[in-house]
Amino acid sequence: MTEYKIHGNLGTILRTVDSAGLSQLVISKTSVDAYNPKVVRSTMGAIFRVKVIEAEDLVETLKNMKKHKYKVVATSLAGTENIYEMDYNKKVIVIGNEAKGVSKEILDVADLKTKIPMLGKTESLNAGIATGVIIYEYVRRKLKQ
């Protein structure tokens, strides 16, 4: 994967989080640097409105969130529920990287594995696009309330 694509995905994700009125994003320490100039430029200012939390140990961070009554939802092609069926209340949604998806360690911590239904022959989407689809299902529901 090219360096631009990695930076562009995080920038796209940050812009999408901001556009949905969400206020923070947790990334793993192994993710691209959210403050890399290429990422900052691609966020179009969203980086200044979204709190980016870098988790030293993402599995432990997710376990801690579960102690605070959040459910961890991991995206997976083997998901048992799709994003249009799940309840979005008090959920932490984990999007995997494009090469390997969500790690086995995180899948083991997850309370639910979900997927985006695919009608065509493509099996998966780009991480930035997948995040946008999921976040905007959340937005659609908020607008109906």
Side-chain angles (χ1 to χ4, degrees), residues 20-31:
L22 300 171
S23 59
Q24 65 184 26
L25 177 71
V26 178
I27 62 173
S28 71
K29 183 180 178 186
T30 59
S31 294

Side-chain angles (χ1 to χ4, degrees), residues 13 58 73-75 93-97 101-102 116 126-128 130-132 134:
I13 290 167
L58 189 56
V73 177
T75 56
I93 300 172
V94 181
I95 308 288
N97 73 36
V102 176
I116 297 171
N126 161 289
T131 301
I134 294 168

Side-chain angles (χ1 to χ4, degrees), residues 2-104:
T2 65
E3 182 179 323
Y4 173 75
K5 190 171 183 180
I6 294 169
H7 292 105
N9 275 340
L10 184 55
T12 297
I13 290 167
L14 280 161
R15 285 173 68 181
T16 305
V17 166
D18 182 43
S19 73
L22 300 171
S23 59
Q24 65 184 26
L25 177 71
V26 178
I27 62 173
S28 71
K29 183 180 178 186
T30 59
S31 294
V32 67
D33 176 17
Y35 300 98
N36 175 291
K38 290 180 182 178
V39 174
V40 171
R41 198 168 37 252
S42 69
T43 70
M44 302 296 289
I47 190 82
F48 303 112
R49 295 181 294 274
V50 175
K51 182 178 181 180
V52 178
I53 300 164
E54 186 179 282
E56 189 73 32
D57 182 335
L58 189 56
V59 172
E60 287 305 312
T61 299
L62 293 171
K63 287 179 181 177
N64 190 41
M65 290 175 178
K66 288 175 73 156
K67 289 178 187 174
H68 291 92
K69 308 292 185 218
Y70 283 88
K71 298 279 185 193
V72 174
V73 177
T75 56
S76 170
L77 295 176
T80 55
E81 198 171 308
N82 74 56
I83 65 162
Y84 302 111
E85 297 167 334
M86 95 177 174
D87 170 23
Y88 283 75
N89 189 40
K90 290 205 65 140
K91 298 293 190 296
V92 176
I93 300 172
V94 181
I95 308 288
N97 73 36
E98 290 179 33
K100 299 177 187 170
V102 176
S103 73
K104 181 184 178 334

Side-chain angles (χ1 to χ4, degrees), residues 114-134:
T114 192
K115 62 186 171 187
I116 297 171
M118 301 287 178
L119 301 179
K121 296 185 192 264
T122 299
E123 288 184 357
S124 65
L125 296 172
N126 161 289
I129 298 297
T131 301
V133 169
I134 294 168

